[in-house]
Amino acid sequence: GGKAGDNLPGGSADHLPGGTAGDHLPGGRADDVGTGPSASHEPPSGHTGGHGDGSSGGGHGDGPNGSHDPTRPHQNDPTSHHQGNDGAHHTSGDGDGTHDHPGDHQVDNGAHHEGGHEAGTTHGHDGSPPDSLQVGDNPLPPPGAGQKLLGDLPESRVRRTEDGLISHVDGRPVTQFLDQLSQERALAYLDAKEAGTFPRGQTGACVGSVVDLRTGRVIEGINGPKGVKGLLPLDRLHPTLLERYEQIADAPPHRAPILAHAEVKAANELLWARQELGLPDDVSALREMRASVQFPFMDDLETGVSPRPAPFCGNCNHMLEGVPSSYGRYLKDPPGPENWIP
């Protein structure tokens, strides 16, 4: 457990990659003005695309029965809640409607709350308050800048496979636990935006939780503010991800900044933590993680309730190859059935 940021490489949350409030995080602005949905996690035809600039997406979603039809919107259930579209109708009165940055796919006029969300409360997919989750022994950290340690799952709460990986938490599949956690955290950032305690522009487009299924550690990443302050510093990128970064740096599959995404930042922290523990931190480690990402400030297309699940964009798909995404992934731009992986 520990408090947010403790026991993470680099010390406290303020010293995690991304630095102080909002530094080095993708998308968004320092103020609370939005520009509509970003494309990287917003596929067309109803899919939640990647969490980037609004033109493409990397959805990770399948239907309730485990199958996925890329021509239909995702269902907002634990297995598929990263819907998206072209984002055009998500711009608000204070937005410019552009979709060229990962932090630009949020709405700020409250229109997306007509599904039942009220400031100061957290709601489930149907608008009812979900049971609050806790990861470790300490309360979850409040919304804020940078990557955060959400906790270390106690052995007493988990069930493991023969390979030693966590399969269940509190008696239910770890995927369900992680998806509920990511949804609750997205709603916490939405509440913080509405309460004025942490601006939407500092949160950026996406909030994501990534769990290491071997260590039980759960890290939260946020896209963060627009521009350089929203990027994960290159000198803080773990060697395993640095190698992948260099493979696409000159011609990324998605136009959003490669180091501007919540799940990449969270997985990066888990790799550094593994290195400190003396555990494998090469590409094999990525196969022992799982990610669940949300758009806090966007409504689910089917339920009308925030948040909206977010798939991997093409950049995240490359950087986190091997990491299962709860809501699917896109191989590259443009997002569409031919580039979709559930």
Side-chain angles (χ1 to χ4, degrees), residues 235-255:
D235 61 5
R236 181 57 188 168
L237 191 60
H238 186 278
T240 297
L241 296 184
L242 177 61
E243 181 178 358
R244 292 187 171 184
Y245 173 85
E246 291 175 341
Q247 292 171 355
I248 62 170
D250 294 334
H254 189 274
R255 57 180 171 172

Side-chain angles (χ1 to χ4, degrees), residues 111-125:
H112 58 287
H113 301 291
E114 42 190 42
H117 179 83
E118 298 176 3
T121 62
T122 55
H123 294 73
H125 295 306

Side-chain angles (χ1 to χ4, degrees), residues 206-281:
C206 289
V207 173
S209 298
V210 182
V211 60
D212 187 322
L213 298 174
R214 187 164 299 280
T215 67
R217 174 156 292 190
V218 185
I219 299 292
E220 173 180 274
I222 65 174
N223 275 29
K226 191 173 184 177
V228 175
K229 289 185 177 181
L231 301 179
L232 177 65
L234 196 58
D235 61 5
R236 181 57 188 168
L237 191 60
H238 186 278
T240 297
L241 296 184
L242 177 61
E243 181 178 358
R244 292 187 171 184
Y245 173 85
E246 291 175 341
Q247 292 171 355
I248 62 170
D250 294 334
H254 189 274
R255 57 180 171 172
I258 300 171
L259 301 181
H261 298 289
E263 61 268 54
V264 172
K265 296 172 182 179
N268 186 66
E269 284 308 310
L270 290 174
L271 287 171
W272 284 119
R274 276 187 167 236
Q275 185 179 90
E276 288 192 350
L277 292 171
L279 295 174
D281 60 347

